[in-house]
Amino acid sequence: MGYPVIFQIEDIYYPTLAAIGVPGKPISHLIMVSKSYIKINLVAIVILSRGKCGLSKCISVYLVGMTVSDLLVVITYPILYWIVPIYFPYSFLNLTPVCSLIVVLFSAATVVSVWLTVTFTFDRFVAICCEKQKTKYCSEKTAAVVVGTVSVLGCLESLPWYFTLEQEYIIDNVPMSCVGKLSFFTSPAWVAFELINRILTPCVPVFLVLLLNVLIVRRILFSSKVRRGFRHHSNTENHKDPEMENRRKSIILLFSISGSFTLLWVTRIVFIIYVRIAEIHDYSSYTDPLFITDHTSRMLQLLSSCTNTCIYTVTQTKFRQELKKAVKYPFNLIVKLFSRWRTLVPSQ
């Protein structure tokens, strides 16, 4: 049997995911562009941290936290867990303890990313639907505490994954790679742990995001109807409503992030539920539809960690402006230094 098609797709997909669309390139160039991807996300983090995108400080804190966790997801799985072992099979990253640690970091980054999406949605729910609690809850300090708490809990929840893995093979008495222990599949305690973990991430978060968005939409429709009636009686129909305009921008950002998150995770959720109900523990072959669905849903799940920066760019005008400034900054600095150098060097 030849190399499975799904693996061929992943060999292209994950480098593309990490390196912004440069499949088929030499690994040195791939790593270079991957660094560029990381730099772009770091620039996005800096831009959001500065708070000059027309968003409240509270929203900026959540977006920074989500961007950092999404960046860690891309670094840990596509780059460290998939790309590096393929091109550098005997690197220290293939040592069983290191490999296990990468799995833990990937799980933690995923959990934090998912639950920060939930907390961000809840924050917007409070801001729109709970006027009395808005001032107290929707603050920069509260957002920072929530992001920190979610990050710590995400790491603690993912830590047990380290003890579910063992070496796949041994070279010169050195344990290499990592696979699940047999006890992980047979022990009731580990089975319960995996079930709880799957329920907490992503089943419950997706349900909460959908529920909160439904409540937000209902509140928006009611508020819009009331405000239109008020403006009609006040004869101010031809004037823009600043509050509604600001709310519209916030809603577009919220629905873009929530919608992308839900659509890209739904396949994974359906697969997890089906496998549990059908009690499937293994696949018949690499062409088994369930095996292909498993890997495809994983690819879509990882894609959800790469869309937020694109969403900020598409939906936020001021973010695009700040991003352009950041891209132009090195070139403007070089021009200024060159101009200063010319003024200091006497003409011949």
Side-chain angles (χ1 to χ4, degrees), residues 20-65:
I20 326 177
V22 282
K25 297 294 182 180
I27 185 62
S28 58
H29 182 66
L30 213 95
I31 292 174
M32 259 175 53
V33 185
S34 297
K35 290 179 179 178
S36 300
Y37 173 84
I38 294 172
K39 289 178 181 177
I40 290 173
N41 279 271
L42 290 175
V43 169
I45 292 169
V46 172
I47 291 173
L48 292 169
S49 300
R50 294 178 65 191
K52 295 185 178 181
C53 299
L55 301 169
S56 68
K57 292 182 178 180
C58 174
I59 294 178
S60 296
V61 171
Y62 282 112
L63 295 184
V64 168

mmCIF file of all heavy atoms in Angstrom, residues 20-65:
data_model
loop_
_atom_site.group_PDB
_atom_site.id
_atom_site.type_symbol
_atom_site.label_atom_id
_atom_site.label_comp_id
_atom_site.label_asym_id
_atom_site.label_seq_id
_atom_site.Cartn_x
_atom_site.Cartn_y
_atom_site.Cartn_z
ATOM 1 N N ILE A 20 1.964 30.033 6.055
ATOM 2 C CA ILE A 20 1.158 30.927 5.230
ATOM 3 C C ILE A 20 1.260 30.591 3.752
ATOM 4 O O ILE A 20 1.635 31.417 2.917
ATOM 5 C CB ILE A 20 1.550 32.409 5.437
ATOM 6 C CG1 ILE A 20 1.966 32.667 6.868
ATOM 7 C CG2 ILE A 20 0.386 33.312 5.099
ATOM 8 C CD1 ILE A 20 2.435 34.065 7.115
ATOM 9 N N GLY A 21 0.937 29.364 3.440
ATOM 10 C CA GLY A 21 0.744 29.014 2.043
ATOM 11 C C GLY A 21 1.965 28.832 1.200
ATOM 12 O O GLY A 21 2.012 29.317 0.081
ATOM 13 N N VAL A 22 2.982 28.109 1.686
ATOM 14 C CA VAL A 22 4.137 27.836 0.833
ATOM 15 C C VAL A 22 4.461 26.344 0.799
ATOM 16 O O VAL A 22 5.546 25.935 1.161
ATOM 17 C CB VAL A 22 5.400 28.605 1.289
ATOM 18 C CG1 VAL A 22 5.355 30.020 0.865
ATOM 19 C CG2 VAL A 22 5.572 28.510 2.810
ATOM 20 N N PRO A 23 3.497 25.488 0.404
ATOM 21 C CA PRO A 23 3.775 24.064 0.343
ATOM 22 C C PRO A 23 4.785 23.733 -0.728
ATOM 23 O O PRO A 23 4.903 24.443 -1.718
ATOM 24 C CB PRO A 23 2.413 23.450 -0.016
ATOM 25 C CG PRO A 23 1.700 24.531 -0.735
ATOM 26 C CD PRO A 23 2.161 25.811 -0.101
ATOM 27 N N GLY A 24 5.527 22.633 -0.519
ATOM 28 C CA GLY A 24 6.465 22.188 -1.539
ATOM 29 C C GLY A 24 7.772 22.932 -1.533
ATOM 30 O O GLY A 24 8.579 22.781 -2.452
ATOM 31 N N LYS A 25 8.039 23.767 -0.534
ATOM 32 C CA LYS A 25 9.281 24.520 -0.469
ATOM 33 C C LYS A 25 10.293 23.765 0.376
ATOM 34 O O LYS A 25 9.942 22.912 1.174
ATOM 35 C CB LYS A 25 9.026 25.906 0.144
ATOM 36 C CG LYS A 25 8.084 26.775 -0.697
ATOM 37 C CD LYS A 25 8.700 27.139 -2.007
ATOM 38 C CE LYS A 25 7.766 28.045 -2.812
ATOM 39 N NZ LYS A 25 8.346 28.418 -4.100
ATOM 40 N N PRO A 26 11.602 24.084 0.225
ATOM 41 C CA PRO A 26 12.607 23.469 1.084
ATOM 42 C C PRO A 26 12.314 23.773 2.535
ATOM 43 O O PRO A 26 11.763 24.814 2.864
ATOM 44 C CB PRO A 26 13.916 24.131 0.614
ATOM 45 C CG PRO A 26 13.630 24.609 -0.764
ATOM 46 C CD PRO A 26 12.184 24.969 -0.787
ATOM 47 N N ILE A 27 12.724 22.855 3.405
ATOM 48 C CA ILE A 27 12.413 23.021 4.829
ATOM 49 C C ILE A 27 13.030 24.292 5.401
ATOM 50 O O ILE A 27 12.447 24.947 6.256
ATOM 51 C CB ILE A 27 12.896 21.787 5.632
ATOM 52 C CG1 ILE A 27 12.465 21.902 7.099
ATOM 53 C CG2 ILE A 27 14.393 21.619 5.533
ATOM 54 C CD1 ILE A 27 10.979 21.929 7.285
ATOM 55 N N SER A 28 14.206 24.700 4.927
ATOM 56 C CA SER A 28 14.828 25.926 5.440
ATOM 57 C C SER A 28 13.959 27.131 5.127
ATOM 58 O O SER A 28 13.740 27.997 5.977
ATOM 59 C CB SER A 28 16.218 26.118 4.813
ATOM 60 O OG SER A 28 16.117 26.163 3.402
ATOM 61 N N HIS A 29 13.414 27.163 3.896
ATOM 62 C CA HIS A 29 12.549 28.277 3.525
ATOM 63 C C HIS A 29 11.239 28.205 4.308
ATOM 64 O O HIS A 29 10.666 29.213 4.707
ATOM 65 C CB HIS A 29 12.259 28.230 2.022
ATOM 66 C CG HIS A 29 11.415 29.372 1.542
ATOM 67 N ND1 HIS A 29 11.855 30.675 1.548
ATOM 68 C CD2 HIS A 29 10.154 29.391 1.041
ATOM 69 C CE1 HIS A 29 10.913 31.466 1.059
ATOM 70 N NE2 HIS A 29 9.868 30.703 0.749
ATOM 71 N N LEU A 30 10.729 26.971 4.529
ATOM 72 C CA LEU A 30 9.504 26.774 5.269
ATOM 73 C C LEU A 30 9.631 27.324 6.689
ATOM 74 O O LEU A 30 8.746 27.998 7.196
ATOM 75 C CB LEU A 30 9.195 25.277 5.330
ATOM 76 C CG LEU A 30 7.727 24.905 5.318
ATOM 77 C CD1 LEU A 30 7.313 24.606 3.889
ATOM 78 C CD2 LEU A 30 7.468 23.735 6.187
ATOM 79 N N ILE A 31 10.760 27.018 7.323
ATOM 80 C CA ILE A 31 10.989 27.493 8.688
ATOM 81 C C ILE A 31 11.115 29.009 8.706
ATOM 82 O O ILE A 31 10.620 29.683 9.610
ATOM 83 C CB ILE A 31 12.249 26.835 9.276
ATOM 84 C CG1 ILE A 31 11.995 25.342 9.486
ATOM 85 C CG2 ILE A 31 12.637 27.474 10.587
ATOM 86 C CD1 ILE A 31 13.211 24.565 9.937
ATOM 87 N N MET A 32 11.767 29.569 7.652
ATOM 88 C CA MET A 32 11.894 31.018 7.578
ATOM 89 C C MET A 32 10.531 31.690 7.521
ATOM 90 O O MET A 32 10.260 32.652 8.219
ATOM 91 C CB MET A 32 12.695 31.422 6.329
ATOM 92 C CG MET A 32 14.141 31.779 6.636
ATOM 93 S SD MET A 32 15.062 32.099 5.151
ATOM 94 C CE MET A 32 14.074 33.312 4.346
ATOM 95 N N VAL A 33 9.628 31.158 6.679
ATOM 96 C CA VAL A 33 8.317 31.761 6.544
ATOM 97 C C VAL A 33 7.476 31.520 7.785
ATOM 98 O O VAL A 33 6.650 32.335 8.169
ATOM 99 C CB VAL A 33 7.604 31.226 5.279
ATOM 100 C CG1 VAL A 33 6.288 31.937 5.073
ATOM 101 C CG2 VAL A 33 8.492 31.406 4.066
ATOM 102 N N SER A 34 7.700 30.374 8.435
ATOM 103 C CA SER A 34 7.014 30.108 9.702
ATOM 104 C C SER A 34 7.384 31.174 10.732
ATOM 105 O O SER A 34 6.551 31.642 11.500
ATOM 106 C CB SER A 34 7.388 28.723 10.232
ATOM 107 O OG SER A 34 6.970 27.730 9.348
ATOM 108 N N LYS A 35 8.662 31.562 10.727
ATOM 109 C CA LYS A 35 9.097 32.638 11.616
ATOM 110 C C LYS A 35 8.380 33.940 11.252
ATOM 111 O O LYS A 35 8.029 34.734 12.123
ATOM 112 C CB LYS A 35 10.613 32.818 11.526
ATOM 113 C CG LYS A 35 11.407 31.658 12.134
ATOM 114 C CD LYS A 35 12.900 31.889 11.993
ATOM 115 C CE LYS A 35 13.698 30.735 12.619
ATOM 116 N NZ LYS A 35 15.146 30.927 12.450
ATOM 117 N N SER A 36 8.166 34.151 9.945
ATOM 118 C CA SER A 36 7.452 35.349 9.516
ATOM 119 C C SER A 36 6.025 35.334 10.044
ATOM 120 O O SER A 36 5.489 36.346 10.471
ATOM 121 C CB SER A 36 7.443 35.450 7.983
ATOM 122 O OG SER A 36 8.754 35.512 7.481
ATOM 123 N N TYR A 37 5.402 34.141 9.992
ATOM 124 C CA TYR A 37 4.040 33.994 10.521
ATOM 125 C C TYR A 37 4.014 34.362 12.004
ATOM 126 O O TYR A 37 3.124 35.077 12.471
ATOM 127 C CB TYR A 37 3.558 32.570 10.311
ATOM 128 C CG TYR A 37 2.242 32.271 10.964
ATOM 129 C CD1 TYR A 37 1.051 32.576 10.331
ATOM 130 C CD2 TYR A 37 2.193 31.700 12.241
ATOM 131 C CE1 TYR A 37 -0.160 32.318 10.935
ATOM 132 C CE2 TYR A 37 0.984 31.434 12.845
ATOM 133 C CZ TYR A 37 -0.183 31.741 12.182
ATOM 134 O OH TYR A 37 -1.364 31.489 12.797
ATOM 135 N N ILE A 38 4.996 33.853 12.738
ATOM 136 C CA ILE A 38 5.063 34.142 14.174
ATOM 137 C C ILE A 38 5.251 35.643 14.397
ATOM 138 O O ILE A 38 4.622 36.240 15.280
ATOM 139 C CB ILE A 38 6.212 33.340 14.817
ATOM 140 C CG1 ILE A 38 5.899 31.840 14.754
ATOM 141 C CG2 ILE A 38 6.430 33.769 16.254
ATOM 142 C CD1 ILE A 38 7.042 30.946 15.180
ATOM 143 N N LYS A 39 6.104 36.260 13.573
ATOM 144 C CA LYS A 39 6.340 37.705 13.716
ATOM 145 C C LYS A 39 5.066 38.494 13.453
ATOM 146 O O LYS A 39 4.767 39.467 14.143
ATOM 147 C CB LYS A 39 7.448 38.144 12.764
ATOM 148 C CG LYS A 39 8.839 37.655 13.173
ATOM 149 C CD LYS A 39 9.884 38.079 12.165
ATOM 150 C CE LYS A 39 11.277 37.563 12.561
ATOM 151 N NZ LYS A 39 12.302 37.912 11.560
ATOM 152 N N ILE A 40 4.291 38.070 12.422
ATOM 153 C CA ILE A 40 3.049 38.759 12.106
ATOM 154 C C ILE A 40 2.089 38.692 13.289
ATOM 155 O O ILE A 40 1.440 39.672 13.645
ATOM 156 C CB ILE A 40 2.401 38.154 10.839
ATOM 157 C CG1 ILE A 40 3.236 38.512 9.597
ATOM 158 C CG2 ILE A 40 0.962 38.646 10.665
ATOM 159 C CD1 ILE A 40 2.787 37.824 8.328
ATOM 160 N N ASN A 41 2.001 37.516 13.904
ATOM 161 C CA ASN A 41 1.123 37.379 15.070
ATOM 162 C C ASN A 41 1.642 38.174 16.251
ATOM 163 O O ASN A 41 0.856 38.712 17.033
ATOM 164 C CB ASN A 41 0.980 35.903 15.437
ATOM 165 C CG ASN A 41 -0.039 35.192 14.586
ATOM 166 O OD1 ASN A 41 -1.220 35.148 14.909
ATOM 167 N ND2 ASN A 41 0.406 34.659 13.462
ATOM 168 N N LEU A 42 2.950 38.248 16.408
ATOM 169 C CA LEU A 42 3.509 39.076 17.471
ATOM 170 C C LEU A 42 3.190 40.547 17.232
ATOM 171 O O LEU A 42 2.896 41.293 18.168
ATOM 172 C CB LEU A 42 5.030 38.863 17.559
ATOM 173 C CG LEU A 42 5.478 37.493 18.078
ATOM 174 C CD1 LEU A 42 6.996 37.357 17.997
ATOM 175 C CD2 LEU A 42 5.009 37.276 19.516
ATOM 176 N N VAL A 43 3.243 40.963 15.951
ATOM 177 C CA VAL A 43 2.871 42.336 15.602
ATOM 178 C C VAL A 43 1.406 42.577 15.947
ATOM 179 O O VAL A 43 1.043 43.626 16.500
ATOM 180 C CB VAL A 43 3.123 42.609 14.101
ATOM 181 C CG1 VAL A 43 2.495 43.941 13.685
ATOM 182 C CG2 VAL A 43 4.611 42.628 13.806
ATOM 183 N N ALA A 44 0.552 41.588 15.642
ATOM 184 C CA ALA A 44 -0.871 41.712 15.979
ATOM 185 C C ALA A 44 -1.065 41.847 17.487
ATOM 186 O O ALA A 44 -1.891 42.647 17.940
ATOM 187 C CB ALA A 44 -1.636 40.493 15.455
ATOM 188 N N ILE A 45 -0.293 41.085 18.259
ATOM 189 C CA ILE A 45 -0.387 41.159 19.721
ATOM 190 C C ILE A 45 0.015 42.546 20.211
ATOM 191 O O ILE A 45 -0.647 43.138 21.067
ATOM 192 C CB ILE A 45 0.503 40.080 20.368
ATOM 193 C CG1 ILE A 45 -0.072 38.680 20.070
ATOM 194 C CG2 ILE A 45 0.604 40.293 21.878
ATOM 195 C CD1 ILE A 45 0.857 37.549 20.441
ATOM 196 N N VAL A 46 1.108 43.084 19.639
ATOM 197 C CA VAL A 46 1.570 44.424 20.023
ATOM 198 C C VAL A 46 0.522 45.475 19.673
ATOM 199 O O VAL A 46 0.217 46.378 20.469
ATOM 200 C CB VAL A 46 2.911 44.748 19.334
ATOM 201 C CG1 VAL A 46 3.294 46.208 19.567
ATOM 202 C CG2 VAL A 46 4.010 43.820 19.844
ATOM 203 N N ILE A 47 -0.055 45.368 18.468
ATOM 204 C CA ILE A 47 -1.061 46.343 18.026
ATOM 205 C C ILE A 47 -2.269 46.321 18.956
ATOM 206 O O ILE A 47 -2.758 47.366 19.396
ATOM 207 C CB ILE A 47 -1.500 46.041 16.577
ATOM 208 C CG1 ILE A 47 -0.357 46.337 15.611
ATOM 209 C CG2 ILE A 47 -2.732 46.873 16.194
ATOM 210 C CD1 ILE A 47 -0.636 45.911 14.180
ATOM 211 N N LEU A 48 -2.749 45.137 19.268
ATOM 212 C CA LEU A 48 -3.914 45.030 20.152
ATOM 213 C C LEU A 48 -3.586 45.513 21.562
ATOM 214 O O LEU A 48 -4.427 46.116 22.227
ATOM 215 C CB LEU A 48 -4.397 43.575 20.194
ATOM 216 C CG LEU A 48 -5.011 43.035 18.898
ATOM 217 C CD1 LEU A 48 -5.205 41.534 18.989
ATOM 218 C CD2 LEU A 48 -6.345 43.718 18.612
ATOM 219 N N SER A 49 -2.357 45.262 22.010
ATOM 220 C CA SER A 49 -1.946 45.674 23.359
ATOM 221 C C SER A 49 -1.889 47.189 23.488
ATOM 222 O O SER A 49 -2.132 47.736 24.577
ATOM 223 C CB SER A 49 -0.577 45.074 23.700
ATOM 224 O OG SER A 49 -0.606 43.671 23.659
ATOM 225 N N ARG A 50 -1.573 47.872 22.393
ATOM 226 C CA ARG A 50 -1.476 49.339 22.442
ATOM 227 C C ARG A 50 -2.832 50.006 22.584
ATOM 228 O O ARG A 50 -2.926 51.160 22.993
ATOM 229 C CB ARG A 50 -0.771 49.847 21.180
ATOM 230 C CG ARG A 50 0.691 49.412 21.080
ATOM 231 C CD ARG A 50 1.294 49.915 19.786
ATOM 232 N NE ARG A 50 1.352 51.365 19.754
ATOM 233 C CZ ARG A 50 1.642 52.076 18.663
ATOM 234 N NH1 ARG A 50 1.870 51.444 17.520
ATOM 235 N NH2 ARG A 50 1.674 53.383 18.704
ATOM 236 N N GLY A 51 -3.905 49.281 22.225
ATOM 237 C CA GLY A 51 -5.249 49.809 22.408
ATOM 238 C C GLY A 51 -5.613 50.952 21.487
ATOM 239 O O GLY A 51 -6.400 51.825 21.872
ATOM 240 N N LYS A 52 -5.071 50.970 20.262
ATOM 241 C CA LYS A 52 -5.361 52.035 19.304
ATOM 242 C C LYS A 52 -6.204 51.548 18.129
ATOM 243 O O LYS A 52 -6.146 52.099 17.036
ATOM 244 C CB LYS A 52 -4.056 52.643 18.792
ATOM 245 C CG LYS A 52 -3.252 53.352 19.866
ATOM 246 C CD LYS A 52 -2.024 54.038 19.297
ATOM 247 C CE LYS A 52 -1.266 54.788 20.384
ATOM 248 N NZ LYS A 52 -0.079 55.491 19.837
ATOM 249 N N CYS A 53 -6.979 50.488 18.361
ATOM 250 C CA CYS A 53 -7.791 49.910 17.278
ATOM 251 C C CYS A 53 -9.259 50.308 17.387
ATOM 252 O O CYS A 53 -10.110 49.746 16.690
ATOM 253 C CB CYS A 53 -7.672 48.392 17.287
ATOM 254 S SG CYS A 53 -5.997 47.786 17.016
ATOM 255 N N GLY A 54 -9.551 51.259 18.265
ATOM 256 C CA GLY A 54 -10.938 51.675 18.437
ATOM 257 C C GLY A 54 -11.753 50.714 19.270
ATOM 258 O O GLY A 54 -12.983 50.814 19.330
ATOM 259 N N LEU A 55 -11.093 49.768 19.927
ATOM 260 C CA LEU A 55 -11.779 48.804 20.787
ATOM 261 C C LEU A 55 -11.536 49.172 22.246
ATOM 262 O O LEU A 55 -10.529 49.810 22.575
ATOM 263 C CB LEU A 55 -11.259 47.390 20.521
ATOM 264 C CG LEU A 55 -11.405 46.869 19.088
ATOM 265 C CD1 LEU A 55 -10.619 45.574 18.919
ATOM 266 C CD2 LEU A 55 -12.864 46.653 18.742
ATOM 267 N N SER A 56 -12.445 48.780 23.111
ATOM 268 C CA SER A 56 -12.259 49.056 24.529
ATOM 269 C C SER A 56 -11.072 48.250 25.057
ATOM 270 O O SER A 56 -10.666 47.244 24.478
ATOM 271 C CB SER A 56 -13.528 48.681 25.313
ATOM 272 O OG SER A 56 -13.716 47.275 25.297
ATOM 273 N N LYS A 57 -10.516 48.714 26.182
ATOM 274 C CA LYS A 57 -9.378 48.018 26.785
ATOM 275 C C LYS A 57 -9.769 46.606 27.196
ATOM 276 O O LYS A 57 -8.949 45.681 27.136
ATOM 277 C CB LYS A 57 -8.871 48.801 27.993
ATOM 278 C CG LYS A 57 -8.227 50.138 27.634
ATOM 279 C CD LYS A 57 -7.693 50.843 28.862
ATOM 280 C CE LYS A 57 -7.006 52.162 28.478
ATOM 281 N NZ LYS A 57 -6.480 52.866 29.672
ATOM 282 N N CYS A 58 -11.011 46.445 27.622
ATOM 283 C CA CYS A 58 -11.502 45.131 28.027
ATOM 284 C C CYS A 58 -11.447 44.149 26.855
ATOM 285 O O CYS A 58 -10.911 43.043 26.969
ATOM 286 C CB CYS A 58 -12.935 45.278 28.535
ATOM 287 S SG CYS A 58 -13.743 43.725 28.927
ATOM 288 N N ILE A 59 -11.985 44.569 25.703
ATOM 289 C CA ILE A 59 -11.976 43.712 24.511
ATOM 290 C C ILE A 59 -10.550 43.428 24.083
ATOM 291 O O ILE A 59 -10.208 42.302 23.703
ATOM 292 C CB ILE A 59 -12.768 44.374 23.360
ATOM 293 C CG1 ILE A 59 -14.249 44.463 23.715
ATOM 294 C CG2 ILE A 59 -12.591 43.602 22.059
ATOM 295 C CD1 ILE A 59 -15.096 45.154 22.666
ATOM 296 N N SER A 60 -9.684 44.443 24.147
ATOM 297 C CA SER A 60 -8.288 44.273 23.721
ATOM 298 C C SER A 60 -7.578 43.210 24.546
ATOM 299 O O SER A 60 -6.797 42.419 24.014
ATOM 300 C CB SER A 60 -7.547 45.609 23.835
ATOM 301 O OG SER A 60 -8.096 46.572 22.954
ATOM 302 N N VAL A 61 -7.851 43.162 25.843
ATOM 303 C CA VAL A 61 -7.221 42.154 26.710
ATOM 304 C C VAL A 61 -7.631 40.749 26.271
ATOM 305 O O VAL A 61 -6.791 39.851 26.151
ATOM 306 C CB VAL A 61 -7.605 42.386 28.187
ATOM 307 C CG1 VAL A 61 -7.144 41.208 29.054
ATOM 308 C CG2 VAL A 61 -6.979 43.676 28.699
ATOM 309 N N TYR A 62 -8.917 40.568 26.013
ATOM 310 C CA TYR A 62 -9.385 39.245 25.562
ATOM 311 C C TYR A 62 -8.761 38.878 24.213
ATOM 312 O O TYR A 62 -8.344 37.728 24.012
ATOM 313 C CB TYR A 62 -10.906 39.235 25.444
ATOM 314 C CG TYR A 62 -11.617 39.106 26.767
ATOM 315 C CD1 TYR A 62 -12.370 40.152 27.278
ATOM 316 C CD2 TYR A 62 -11.534 37.926 27.510
ATOM 317 C CE1 TYR A 62 -13.028 40.042 28.500
ATOM 318 C CE2 TYR A 62 -12.188 37.806 28.726
ATOM 319 C CZ TYR A 62 -12.921 38.867 29.218
ATOM 320 O OH TYR A 62 -13.558 38.743 30.424
ATOM 321 N N LEU A 63 -8.707 39.825 23.300
ATOM 322 C CA LEU A 63 -8.175 39.533 21.968
ATOM 323 C C LEU A 63 -6.681 39.214 22.027
ATOM 324 O O LEU A 63 -6.199 38.351 21.290
ATOM 325 C CB LEU A 63 -8.427 40.713 21.025
ATOM 326 C CG LEU A 63 -9.897 41.019 20.711
ATOM 327 C CD1 LEU A 63 -9.994 42.153 19.692
ATOM 328 C CD2 LEU A 63 -10.616 39.780 20.205
ATOM 329 N N VAL A 64 -5.957 39.901 22.903
ATOM 330 C CA VAL A 64 -4.527 39.595 23.069
ATOM 331 C C VAL A 64 -4.359 38.173 23.598
ATOM 332 O O VAL A 64 -3.537 37.390 23.105
ATOM 333 C CB VAL A 64 -3.851 40.607 24.018
ATOM 334 C CG1 VAL A 64 -2.456 40.131 24.415
ATOM 335 C CG2 VAL A 64 -3.743 41.975 23.345
ATOM 336 N N GLY A 65 -5.147 37.831 24.611
ATOM 337 C CA GLY A 65 -5.081 36.475 25.172
ATOM 338 C C GLY A 65 -5.407 35.418 24.143
ATOM 339 O O GLY A 65 -4.728 34.384 24.047
#
